Amino acid sequence: ITGAQKAAVSSAVTRVEVLVESFRKKQPFTHFLSFPLNDSKVQDGFQTFKDEVLRQFSQDHGVEESIFQNPVKLHLTIGTLALLNDTEVRKACEHLQECQTFVRDIAEGKPLPLEVTGIEYMNDDPAMVDVLYAKVNVIDGTDRLQMIADRMVEYFVSAGLMVKEWDRVKLHGTVMNTLFRKDSTDLGGAGKQTTSEREAFDARNILKKFGNYRFGEFELNTVQLSQRYSTDCTGYYSSAGSISFS
């Protein structure tokens, strides 16, 4: 930006920055910070859960195969980012690397032993559920996973790369989501819906039978900056950057 007077240039820069930020708020997110849950033991536990739910409760309203998460993409979302170009992706990666020190401090330089046990639903009525998720806890009973997630969100919010939505990060591993539902009349099977078209499912029997279901235990050792709607060679989301606990 060039101009005859410094004040005019400064004003123009401010106006452009305001426009970019207002544009960013309207954009769907492009990346997210994630804790991968795609350990083979958890995947096997999830597959058994899926098979049993479909075998026992496929007659319940809205319960069918397409609304289950892809087992290789099981994850916990820490926070979402709308990164508008490669420069912003690089900046986000740099900020992620800067989190390495406090993440290792909280994790005491070791992978975190986690258990994925129990299911919960997102909304008020168990007969009309859109998202069913697995609960994840550190095996030693500490809240270190929550501390890492909250600190990372604070860091990214202060850097202007993330919008703070809640006081604490809601750690949840989605196992069923009606946004995944494929329309049986859509032969292409894209399965993308607008929120207003979402068809909820009746989770009452699933919650009764699988409320304390054990998906598995594993050691978590990474945080990833994952790219939405992408897949890497393992089947997980493509990573723009990552840090480790050990």
Side-chain angles (χ1 to χ4, degrees), residues 107-148:
E108 298 172 358
K110 300 192 292 282
L112 278 184
L114 302 182
E115 59 177 359
V116 186
T117 301
I119 53 171
E120 282 282 357
Y121 58 102
M122 279 290 191
N123 50 315
D124 300 327
D125 183 358
M128 295 285 287
V129 170
D130 278 317
V131 177
L132 197 72
Y133 64 91
K135 296 187 284 188
V136 181
N137 297 295
V138 185
I139 288 173
D140 64 12
T142 62
D143 64 348
R144 288 184 292 164
L145 190 68
Q146 185 72 52
M147 286 167 67
I148 290 170

Side-chain angles (χ1 to χ4, degrees), residues 65-193:
E65 188 168 7
S66 72
I67 65 174
F68 284 84
Q69 174 67 285
N70 180 342
V72 290
K73 289 199 164 172
L74 287 166
H75 68 279
L76 299 175
T77 299
I78 302 167
T80 60
L81 306 91
L83 304 175
L84 306 180
N85 53 42
D86 290 343
T87 306
E88 291 194 351
V89 173
R90 280 196 300 274
K91 184 180 168 191
C93 286
E94 287 165 11
H95 282 291
L96 179 60
Q97 295 305 318
E98 289 160 12
C99 294
Q100 177 88 71
T101 306
F102 72 72
V103 165
R104 283 194 177 162
D105 284 348
I106 296 170
E108 298 172 358
K110 300 192 292 282
L112 278 184
L114 302 182
E115 59 177 359
V116 186
T117 301
I119 53 171
E120 282 282 357
Y121 58 102
M122 279 290 191
N123 50 315
D124 300 327
D125 183 358
M128 295 285 287
V129 170
D130 278 317
V131 177
L132 197 72
Y133 64 91
K135 296 187 284 188
V136 181
N137 297 295
V138 185
I139 288 173
D140 64 12
T142 62
D143 64 348
R144 288 184 292 164
L145 190 68
Q146 185 72 52
M147 286 167 67
I148 290 170
D150 291 341
R151 281 285 297 277
M152 292 192 76
V153 167
E154 277 174 28
Y155 195 82
F156 274 78
V157 168
S158 65
L161 288 169
M162 198 178 276
V163 177
K164 184 157 187 172
E165 295 182 71
W166 317 105
D167 289 340
R168 302 177 82 218
V169 176
K170 174 80 169 170
L171 290 173
H172 64 283
T174 297
V175 291
M176 298 171 74
N177 188 338
T178 57
L179 277 182
F180 302 154
R181 191 185 299 284
K182 288 182 172 60
D183 183 350
S184 58
T185 62
D186 170 20
L187 298 178
K192 291 217 174 72
Q193 306 175 329

